[in-house]
Amino acid sequence: MDLPRIFTIRESSHRIHNPLTEDKLAALGKALRLTPGTRVLDLASGSGEMLTTWARDHGITGTGVDISTVFTAEARARAAELGVADRVDFIHGDAAGHVADESVDLAACVGATWIGNGVAGTIELLERSLRPGGVMLIGEPYWRRTPPDEETAVACQATAIADFLALPDLIGRFQSLGYDVVEMMLADQDSWDRYTAAQWLNLRHWLDRNPDDDLATEVREELTTTPARYARYTREYLGWGVFALMKR
């Protein structure tokens, strides 16, 4: 049970595996008014930057679950580096279906709602671990501009225009599921650049070191085609944000 290698190659230098910068992640922690001892569950926790920095800065405790052995190892190393390994724990496992042994104050799935087959299912999953009155974090794409055709949507790594909603409609979707939206932190185009463009150097460095690897052809194709496609489509049409929700 692990992520395909291409994911860890592409994001090998990343500590945050979505288009949220370090500054925005820190600002989100402040906006949520986290207090020492806040218990957090982070499903699809990646390299653990949210839990580890919030443990350092706000004194939270928590558990992260991620399917990637590479990212889980990085998260544990980051916790040790920041001196918070006694406050946060990282489990290698499938986040889909994971429920905390004890109710938490904040339950998060930041950018991986496929673990619940979409927003509604992920909210239902997180709710099983969340105490009454707790806060839920969902990270999700939305359309900054509605694509003019399905080809453009696919170029933004969607399967169809219907995969994502415009921002007001996404907020409305959360509300229709019985939740108040109480905060949000949105990526901007610079956030997207820092997340996506940084992948290209990772790909090139990997290619230079591994020209005869079985994945070399796939990595070369991605490095050749992605920058222009990103600049033409994803950067212009696709937004992304983290939304804080509280059940009504």
Side-chain angles (χ1 to χ4, degrees):
M1 181 172 57
D2 211 335
L3 280 179
R5 269 203 309 153
I6 187 64
F7 286 90
T8 53
I9 293 169
R10 185 187 295 127
E11 301 193 17
S12 59
S13 70
H14 290 50
R15 290 206 302 256
I16 302 172
H17 301 286
N18 55 62
L20 210 62
T21 61
E22 292 179 11
D23 287 346
K24 285 181 178 289
L25 183 62
L28 177 60
K30 291 180 182 178
L32 293 172
R33 306 172 197 174
L34 298 171
T35 57
T38 298
R39 301 183 309 277
V40 179
L41 174 67
D42 186 10
L43 298 185
S45 51
S47 295
E49 193 71 0
M50 186 176 80
L51 281 179
T52 56
T53 57
W54 287 1
R56 176 196 63 193
D57 298 339
H58 303 286
I60 63 104
T61 64
T63 299
V65 182
D66 199 274
I67 199 171
S68 169
T69 54
V70 171
F71 294 160
T72 301
E74 290 176 351
R76 291 169 179 162
R78 183 66 166 157
E81 176 189 353
L82 297 184
V84 296
D86 60 333
R87 280 180 266 163
V88 291
D89 181 39
F90 293 96
I91 299 169
H92 171 242
D94 189 354
H98 183 94
V99 178
D101 294 333
E102 182 181 354
S103 294
V104 299
D105 304 302
L106 190 154
C109 178
V110 179
T113 56
W114 57 83
I115 68 170
N117 295 315
V119 167
T122 300
I123 286 177
E124 183 180 354
L125 172 60
L126 291 174
E127 189 175 14
R128 294 167 64 191
S129 297
L130 190 64
R131 68 164 176 81
V135 175
M136 186 180 296
L137 293 183
I138 296 285
E140 184 71 2
Y142 60 88
W143 292 123
R144 291 182 64 244
R145 296 165 52 197
T146 302
D149 49 49
E150 297 293 349
E151 181 181 3
T152 300
V154 170
C156 295
Q157 299 183 345
T159 62
I161 294 174
D163 283 1
F164 307 131
L165 300 171
L167 180 57
D169 296 329
L170 178 58
I171 290 173
R173 174 67 169 144
F174 294 137
Q175 293 171 331
S176 73
L177 292 168
Y179 287 81
D180 289 321
V181 178
V182 297
E183 246 305 349
M184 68 181 184
M185 186 65 61
L186 304 182
D188 54 26
Q189 287 178 309
D190 183 65
S191 307
W192 271 109
D193 292 347
R194 299 291 24 92
Y195 171 58
T196 303
Q199 297 173 14
W200 308 335
L201 189 59
N202 293 338
L203 295 172
R204 176 54 193 265
H205 281 170
W206 184 89
L207 273 174
D208 289 345
R209 292 191 302 266
N210 302 277
D212 299 320
D213 191 281
D214 290 344
L215 275 180
T217 299
E218 179 181 347
V219 172
R220 164 44 61 194
E221 174 67 14
E222 182 169 326
L223 181 56
T224 300
T225 60
T226 297
R229 184 174 68 246
Y230 165 75
R232 182 173 292 115
Y233 298 111
T234 307
R235 193 176 193 272
E236 296 302 315
Y237 289 95
L238 194 62
W240 192 89
V242 183
F243 303 87
L245 314 176
M246 294 183 70
K247 193 169 186 180
R248 291 181 185 146

